[in-house]
Amino acid sequence: MRRGERALRGVAYALLPVEVVVLVLLLCGVRIPGPVLAGGELVVAALLAAEAVVWLRLRRRGLSRREALAELVPEKVLWLVGHEVRLLASLARWAGRRSHGVAGADGVFPHARDQAALMYGFAFVCLVETAGMAWLLARWPAVHAVVLVLDVYTVLFVLGLHAASATRPHVLAGGVLRVRQAAHVDVRIPLDRVGAVRRENRFTHERRDGELDLAVGSQTSVTLELTEPVGVAGLLGKVRRVGVVRLHADDPDALNRAVRDAVTRARTAPSPCPDRLPRA
């Protein structure tokens, strides 16, 4: 990262707490002079414009869009923003009844059915809380507006989690099992790394190194044991290696049978004929 890019990131880090302080003062009823607010917004606009110019320069250097953005924005922030974008996109896919990543699949295995009632219950509780807070804070319009935005986003977040699970099923295609959970887990497991697959109902899961539990409604129903570990990226981008994956599907028997058959076919497939030796 060059000096100018580091300087821009430093200014952004410095402006963030200032913006928070200004927001708190406004919510507390403190009157801030108009020129001060205008000056602050002008600085923010100038910062955004400078970052846009630097981003274009990085693109001209040959960096991809994501690589150029990573030079300006911390990686963890990018992962969090990407997660939120995927949730909102999943809401649109859910409304349009369109699944993600299923084109050309040999098998598609939904896994959101057993959590639907719980997620709808959470969303209803959030709606009740939103109505209650709107009534309690009616005398403080500024506070009411902020809390209302947060409450509405919470409802969208809960629905987005379920929408992501509903539109991102497990997918078997091209010798790879793609295992997903909501918008934060997306793991591709090559079938040649699957040492064993079995139908196994489990309702308790302890976090252990080298194991990944993708419980739905507090249960997993299929267990995969791998001959070689695969990398799993967390919410903030940290990658850990796992050799055991437990997951759930609406039809676990079909998932278990499809993976077992695909692994068997991969192991028994005839090897390609060797090239003939050249004649003397």
Side-chain angles (χ1 to χ4, degrees):
M1 182 181 296
R2 298 186 177 183
R3 183 178 301 176
E5 295 159 15
R6 287 197 297 268
L8 281 177
R9 182 173 290 189
V11 173
Y13 284 157
L15 280 179
L16 182 59
V18 173
E19 291 285 336
V20 173
V21 170
V22 171
L23 178 61
V24 171
L25 291 176
L26 291 174
L27 292 178
C28 293
V30 177
R31 294 195 176 186
I32 300 177
V36 174
L37 287 176
E41 296 306 319
L42 183 61
V43 171
V44 173
L47 175 64
L48 293 176
E51 290 192 344
V53 171
V54 173
W55 184 83
L56 289 174
R57 289 179 179 175
L58 292 172
R59 289 283 290 149
R60 293 194 188 102
R61 273 194 238 160
L63 273 67
S64 67
R65 294 180 181 178
R66 184 175 181 84
E67 289 172 342
L69 192 58
E71 292 291 326
L72 299 173
V73 182
E75 185 179 2
K76 292 183 179 180
V77 174
L78 285 179
W79 277 91
L80 283 175
V81 172
H83 177 260
E84 302 304 300
V85 170
R86 287 192 295 273
L87 286 183
L88 297 178
S90 296
L91 285 171
R93 286 182 173 276
W94 193 34
R97 298 180 179 275
R98 294 182 294 112
S99 296
H100 176 272
V102 298
D106 300 321
V108 177
F109 307 95
H111 54 85
R113 181 186 62 197
D114 292 336
Q115 72 174 17
L118 180 64
M119 301 304 290
Y120 291 149
F122 278 151
F124 177 75
V125 170
C126 291
L127 284 173
V128 172
E129 189 265 346
T130 299
M133 293 301 294
W135 181 76
L136 291 173
L137 299 176
R139 296 182 180 180
W140 299 279
V143 179
H144 170 257
V146 173
V147 173
L148 180 62
V149 171
L150 293 176
D151 284 341
V152 170
Y153 186 77
T154 301
V155 175
L156 290 176
F157 183 84
V158 172
L159 292 177
L161 286 176
H162 180 62
S165 295
T167 58
R168 295 171 179 265
H170 305 314
V171 176
L172 183 63
V176 174
L177 175 63
R178 188 176 183 182
V179 175
R180 300 188 280 189
Q181 185 177 59
H184 59 281
V185 176
D186 192 339
V187 186
R188 289 174 169 84
I189 304 175
L191 295 178
D192 57 10
R193 295 193 187 184
V194 178
V197 55
R198 62 180 179 271
R199 178 77 164 82
E200 180 184 37
N201 288 331
R202 296 188 60 156
F203 297 91
T204 58
H205 304 86
E206 297 181 3
R207 183 178 177 84
R208 296 176 180 175
D209 292 337
E211 296 184 0
L212 176 65
D213 296 320
L214 302 179
V216 177
S218 300
Q219 66 174 320
T220 57
S221 51
V222 176
T223 299
L224 304 174
E225 295 181 358
L226 310 182
T227 58
E228 296 180 30
V230 295
V232 181
L235 183 61
L236 297 179
K238 183 178 180 180
V239 178
R240 66 189 184 99
R241 309 289 290 179
V242 299
V244 175
V245 178
R246 300 185 183 92
L247 62 152
H248 182 65
D250 295 347
D251 189 349
D253 292 322
L255 174 59
N256 177 51
R257 184 169 53 252
V259 174
R260 187 175 60 244
D261 292 346
V263 170
T264 301
R265 286 196 301 270
R267 290 176 178 173
T268 59
S271 58
C273 296
D275 295 335
R276 293 183 178 180
L277 295 175
R279 295 182 179 180

